[in-house]
């Protein structure tokens, strides 16, 4: 009877573990990472790249990215992410390219100064990872997209680290200049940390 009860307890514990997106990323002694986290530009690195036919890719960064991340360790489906990107903060290693990205042919920063991502669904893909579906608002248009997110753990001082990869097709937002020499897909890599509170 004790053996059956022990196995049942183990099975229930395993099932509970499948429903927790973040519990395995942080040692038990560190406590729960559930809570609301502020994402500030000084703690987020956001890079992008676009393939170029027969040449080196165009690479750059957005230097002002902010937002909020709500993590629910016990109910990951209740977790949420909202991010705002200051498109005027785009930078590359070429001033002409940077200026072109800010122009009306691309981001049209004068009319649409920000882009926003709001999550709508979170699906667990591994011990430390999840697929985050959401809506990216850019240039007055909204399109659904997916991001791969990895929680890299509790960094102490109320911080939690993360890494994000994904992208979007610029033509869906009316940015088709340079196709097909410059690829349609914009690849994005984000790394950083959020502060609780």
């Amino acid at each position: 009877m004790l053996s059956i009860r022990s196995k049942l307890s183990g099975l229930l514990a395993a099932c509970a573990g499948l429903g927790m997106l973040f519990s395995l990323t942080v040692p038990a002694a560190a406590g729960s990472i559930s809570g609301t986290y502020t994402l500030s530009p000084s703690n987020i690195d956001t890079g992008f790249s676009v393939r170029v036919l027969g040449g080196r890719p165009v690479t750059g960064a957005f230097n002002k990215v902010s937002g909020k991340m709500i993590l629910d360790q016990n109910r990951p489906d209740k977790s949420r992410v909202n991010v705002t990107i200051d498109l005027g903060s785009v930078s590359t290693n070429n001033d002409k390219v940077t200026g072109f990205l800010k122009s009306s042919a691309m981001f049209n920063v004068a009319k649409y100064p920000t882009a926003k991502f709001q999550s709508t669904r979170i699906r667990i893909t591994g011990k430390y990872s999840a697929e985050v579906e959401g809506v990216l608002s850019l240039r007055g248009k909204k399109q659904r997209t997916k991001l791969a997110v990895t929680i890299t753990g509790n960094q102490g001082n109320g911080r939690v680290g993360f890494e994000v990869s994904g992208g979007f097709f610029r033509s869906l937002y009316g940015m088709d200049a340079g196709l097909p020499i410059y690829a349609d897909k914009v690849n994005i890599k984000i790394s950083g940390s959020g502060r609780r509170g």
Side-chain angles (χ1 to χ4, degrees):
M1 187 67 171
L2 179 61
S3 176
I4 295 175
R5 186 173 297 169
S6 176
K7 289 179 179 179
L8 182 58
S9 297
L11 179 61
L12 290 174
C15 290
L18 291 175
M20 298 172 69
L21 171 60
F22 308 112
S23 61
L24 295 179
T25 63
V26 183
S32 172
I33 62 170
S34 294
T36 299
Y37 293 81
T38 298
L39 308 177
S40 61
S42 60
N43 295 304
I44 301 176
D45 292 319
T46 304
F48 68 86
S49 65
V50 176
R51 287 189 299 104
V52 178
L53 191 64
R56 300 179 66 180
V58 173
T59 60
F62 294 101
N63 299 311
K64 293 182 180 179
V65 178
S66 59
K68 183 178 291 187
M69 182 167 58
I70 301 172
L71 303 182
D72 189 328
Q73 184 167 324
N74 297 312
R75 291 288 305 277
D77 57 304
K78 297 295 184 182
S79 298
R80 294 289 180 266
V81 179
N82 292 291
V83 175
T84 297
I85 302 170
D86 180 346
L87 296 175
S89 73
V90 65
S91 65
T92 70
N93 60 2
N94 184 306
D95 290 343
K96 289 185 177 179
V97 173
T98 299
F100 177 67
L101 291 175
K102 293 180 181 182
S103 74
S104 60
M106 295 299 287
F107 293 132
N108 197 357
V109 170
K111 187 174 182 181
Y112 305 105
T114 62
K116 295 186 178 182
F117 175 82
Q118 184 171 3
S119 67
T120 56
R121 180 174 178 266
I122 294 177
R123 184 175 68 85
I124 299 169
T125 57
K127 289 183 179 180
Y128 317 113
S129 62
E131 180 182 77
V132 178
E133 296 182 13
V135 175
L136 176 63
S137 302
L138 178 63
R139 281 178 51 106
K141 300 179 184 295
K142 294 183 177 183
Q143 299 288 340
R144 301 188 70 81
T145 191
K146 294 179 182 179
L147 300 173
V149 178
T150 300
I151 297 297
T152 56
N154 191 334
Q155 298 180 346
N157 298 320
R159 288 193 173 280
V160 64
F162 58 86
E163 294 178 351
V164 180
S165 63
F168 63 92
F169 292 96
R170 59 189 179 93
S171 62
L172 296 177
Y173 298 90
M175 298 185 292
D176 53 6
L179 290 173
I181 302 301
Y182 296 89
D184 192 9
K185 187 175 183 181
V186 179
N187 298 296
I188 295 176
K189 294 279 188 181
I190 305 170
S191 63
S193 64
R195 179 181 290 277
R196 190 194 299 269

